[in-house]
Amino acid sequence: MGKVIVVFVGPAGSGKSTLVAAYAKWLREGDASVYTVNLDPAAETLPYEPSLDVRSIVDAREVARKYGLGPNGALVKSMELVTERLEEITSKIAAAEADYVLVDTPGQMEVFLFRDLSWRLAEALRGISPESYAVFVLDASVIRDPADYAFLVTMATAVQLRLGLETAPVLNKIDLVPDVEITGDLLRDFGRVSRALREAGSVYAEMLREMLRVLLKYNRRVEVPRVSALKGEGIEELHRLVLEMSCSCGDLS
Amino acid sequence: MGKVIVVFVGPAGSGKSTLVAAYAKWLREGDASVYTVNLDPAAETLPYEPSLDVRSIVDAREVARKYGLGPNGALVKSMELVTERLEEITSKIAAAEADYVLVDTPGQMEVFLFRDLSWRLAEALRGISPESYAVFVLDASVIRDPADYAFLVTMATAVQLRLGLETAPVLNKIDLVPDVEITGDLLRDFGRVSRALREAGSVYAEMLREMLRVLLKYNRRVEVPRVSALKGEGIEELHRLVLEMSCSCGDLS
């Protein structure tokens, strides 16, 4: 098995960095070697010690000073500078001797996902290892009703289309919403979801069912890991998901 | 016809505010009355004079000072305060005598979409008018290959699931990418898209075709407006889209 690369994508506050920290710790406890990458030039503190830190190449605070920009302008400018120096970053990832590479993307998802860095990075990672994947991390408290569950899966599909990397949804911070009505089993949950929508008389019920059918046809994974990165819970589920993606890569390429 | 409400959602830099300004101007030139709403507590300048400005209720700069927060913390806190005072905002929208209400959401999409404000607002708007819709605005330069086109449509579907409002994709800043290979006709473009993917041997080709089939079954609209808000081009296409959503609302409710 070559290097397995996992890119963590998700909106601000979804707990990507904490999840990278918890997963790296878990993998190392199992004697795997892990290379962690921080891609956020504006990160203040990180819950892990990155093997490669983009801030040593581009620091948003220095960019703000140098170009006289506010925090948002500095972030956007920093992302451009990171994109220009992407090869420097990916060549280090390629050279890293590790079983797993975990890539932590910028706090603000949209400065990554909707800009060139996202697909350029993904393209480079695919070149480094065919076993490159992404997870779409969402704070479980965002899930409030059946449609939100479909939202989660649809967002993961959007990320997959953007990156060209197989992408699975992960629910984080599950400790904060102990009563979230999600079993993590897409088949079962979606069944309940579409029943609930149908009962509510929503036109989306049938659309969701049909979308589920398509998504499941091309994703044999039906489990959504329910994780608490903070408490270190559910990390094994996350790892099982990564292994499952890894097993199916032969069929997908 | 009651009030038509359109919520503009899109990532930072997609040109939501410029589009609201251009569309409001266009509608007024056609003698329609328009009520514009700015929901961004951190907006610095706006290219239109909002009828209702959230900054008169919650100003991110004041929040930063009062709570001693940095720009991101202040934005998140401001969104919470806006959510608490949502009824004040929606009751003004309900009372507004206008043919069209255009709602401009916060610059950073993720502080809106992944937080309670998004679905609470959408719920309130549906209560005000059954003719409430959303558009997902994306900078046309993000579209670089066939999969990105599917990404655009999938993102619009995700927004639709989150808001529970019929949502159509709109490509803005088309003036900056005159050579973008998109006709704006979903059927034709998707056909080309899935052919390109199939020729590239991608497993996504078939998945995209099937997703298209589902999307088209539930969305009779097949045109993606190609707009330049800055140059005022394509606004008529945008308006046609809004009218089309408006015509189909009877069937969808």
Side-chain angles (χ1 to χ4, degrees):
Chain A
M1 189 173 90
K3 231 178 286 197
V4 172
I5 304 179
V6 186
V7 182
F8 290 74
V9 181
S14 58
K16 296 181 288 293
S17 298
T18 319
L19 191 54
V20 164
Y23 190 30
K25 181 169 176 280
W26 189 91
L27 285 168
R28 284 176 183 137
E29 283 168 3
D31 283 333
S33 59
V34 183
Y35 189 83
T36 51
V37 181
N38 167 48
L39 274 189
D40 188 353
E44 305 224 342
T45 55
L46 288 173
Y48 59 94
E49 188 77 51
S51 316
L52 169 56
D53 192 340
V54 77
R55 292 175 299 180
S56 68
I57 301 172
V58 178
D59 186 299
R61 270 160 222 78
E62 275 172 35
V63 170
R65 264 195 300 276
K66 186 172 167 189
Y67 295 89
L69 294 166
N72 271 321
L75 183 58
V76 168
K77 181 71 187 169
S78 298
M79 297 312 290
E80 284 170 18
L81 297 173
V82 171
T83 309
E84 281 171 21
R85 296 180 66 178
L86 184 59
E87 214 196 305
E88 201 171 317
I89 294 164
T90 54
S91 65
K92 281 182 183 162
I93 295 177
E97 289 193 15
D99 303 318
Y100 293 89
V101 177
L102 309 184
V103 182
D104 190 11
T105 61
Q108 273 188 45
M109 179 179 75
E110 58 202 271
V111 299
F112 175 69
L113 197 58
F114 296 100
R115 291 179 182 270
D116 282 355
L117 179 60
S118 57
W119 65 266
R120 283 188 198 274
L121 172 74
E123 198 171 65
L125 294 180
R126 274 200 311 276
I128 293 171
S129 169
E131 302 206 60
S132 294
Y133 312 102
V135 289
F136 176 69
V137 186
L138 198 62
D139 179 336
S141 67
V142 173
I143 307 294
R144 135 212 72 100
D145 80 359
D148 278 329
Y149 196 59
F151 168 64
L152 168 69
V153 176
T154 308
M155 276 300 305
T157 305
V159 172
Q160 171 159 336
L161 288 164
R162 178 68 173 157
L163 299 183
L165 300 178
E166 192 174 348
T167 304
V170 170
L171 283 174
N172 194 11
K173 303 192 181 181
I174 203 83
D175 54 302
L176 297 181
V177 278
D179 57 341
V180 67
E181 278 186 58
I182 288 172
T183 67
D185 180 318
L186 268 186
L187 275 176
R188 212 187 315 162
D189 287 341
F190 248 103
R192 200 163 45 73
V193 159
S194 52
R195 264 196 309 281
L197 287 170
R198 203 165 52 235
E199 279 160 22
S202 167
V203 67
Y204 299 130
E206 193 55 38
M207 173 175 157
L208 287 181
R209 250 216 316 272
E210 296 195 26
M211 274 181 54
L212 171 70
R213 213 173 292 145
V214 176
L215 290 172
L216 287 182
K217 188 167 161 190
Y218 294 91
N219 276 300
R220 272 147 309 155
R221 290 165 292 95
V222 292
E223 299 278 325
V224 176
R226 301 161 73 246
V227 171
S228 166
L230 199 65
K231 300 201 164 183
E233 287 165 12
I235 305 296
E236 203 172 331
E237 274 186 71
L238 169 64
H239 184 60
R240 204 182 310 132
L241 174 85
V242 169
L243 288 185
E244 274 173 23
M245 290 200 280
S246 163
C247 292
S248 60
C249 90
D251 308 292
L252 278 171
S253 61
Chain B
M1 189 173 90
K3 231 179 283 197
V4 172
I5 303 178
V6 186
V7 182
F8 290 74
V9 181
S14 57
K16 297 180 286 294
S17 299
T18 318
L19 191 54
V20 165
Y23 190 30
K25 181 168 176 279
W26 189 91
L27 285 168
R28 284 177 183 136
E29 284 169 0
D31 283 332
S33 58
V34 183
Y35 190 84
T36 52
V37 181
N38 166 48
L39 275 188
D40 188 352
E44 304 224 343
T45 54
L46 288 173
Y48 58 95
E49 186 77 53
S51 316
L52 170 56
D53 192 340
V54 78
R55 292 175 298 180
S56 68
I57 301 172
V58 178
D59 187 299
R61 269 160 222 79
E62 275 171 35
V63 170
R65 265 195 299 275
K66 187 172 166 189
Y67 295 89
L69 294 166
N72 271 321
L75 183 59
V76 169
K77 181 71 188 167
S78 298
M79 296 312 289
E80 285 170 19
L81 296 172
V82 171
T83 309
E84 281 170 21
R85 297 182 65 176
L86 185 60
E87 214 196 304
E88 202 171 317
I89 295 163
T90 53
S91 64
K92 281 181 183 162
I93 295 176
E97 290 193 14
D99 303 317
Y100 293 89
V101 177
L102 309 185
V103 182
D104 190 10
T105 60
Q108 271 187 46
M109 179 179 74
E110 58 202 270
V111 299
F112 174 70
L113 197 59
F114 296 99
R115 292 181 181 268
D116 283 355
L117 179 60
S118 57
W119 65 265
R120 284 188 198 274
L121 171 74
E123 197 170 66
L125 294 180
R126 274 200 310 275
I128 293 170
S129 168
E131 302 205 60
S132 296
Y133 311 102
V135 289
F136 176 70
V137 187
L138 198 61
D139 179 336
S141 66
V142 172
I143 308 293
R144 132 212 74 100
D145 80 0
D148 278 329
Y149 197 58
F151 169 65
L152 168 69
V153 176
T154 308
M155 277 300 306
T157 306
V159 172
Q160 172 158 336
L161 287 164
R162 178 67 175 158
L163 299 182
L165 300 179
E166 192 174 350
T167 304
V170 171
L171 282 174
N172 194 11
K173 303 193 182 182
I174 203 81
D175 53 303
L176 297 181
V177 278
D179 57 342
V180 67
E181 276 188 61
I182 287 172
T183 67
D185 181 318
L186 268 186
L187 275 176
R188 212 188 315 163
D189 287 341
F190 249 102
R192 198 164 46 75
V193 160
S194 52
R195 263 196 311 280
L197 287 170
R198 203 164 52 235
E199 280 161 20
S202 167
V203 68
Y204 299 132
E206 194 53 39
M207 174 175 156
L208 287 181
R209 248 216 316 273
E210 295 196 26
M211 275 181 53
L212 171 69
R213 212 173 292 145
V214 176
L215 289 171
L216 287 182
K217 187 168 161 188
Y218 294 92
N219 277 300
R220 270 149 310 157
R221 289 167 291 96
V222 292
E223 299 277 326
V224 176
R226 303 160 74 246
V227 171
S228 166
L230 199 65
K231 299 200 165 181
E233 285 165 14
I235 304 298
E236 202 171 332
E237 272 186 73
L238 169 64
H239 184 60
R240 204 183 310 134
L241 173 86
V242 169
L243 288 185
E244 271 172 26
M245 291 200 277
S246 164
C247 292
S248 59
C249 89
D251 309 292
L252 278 170
S253 62

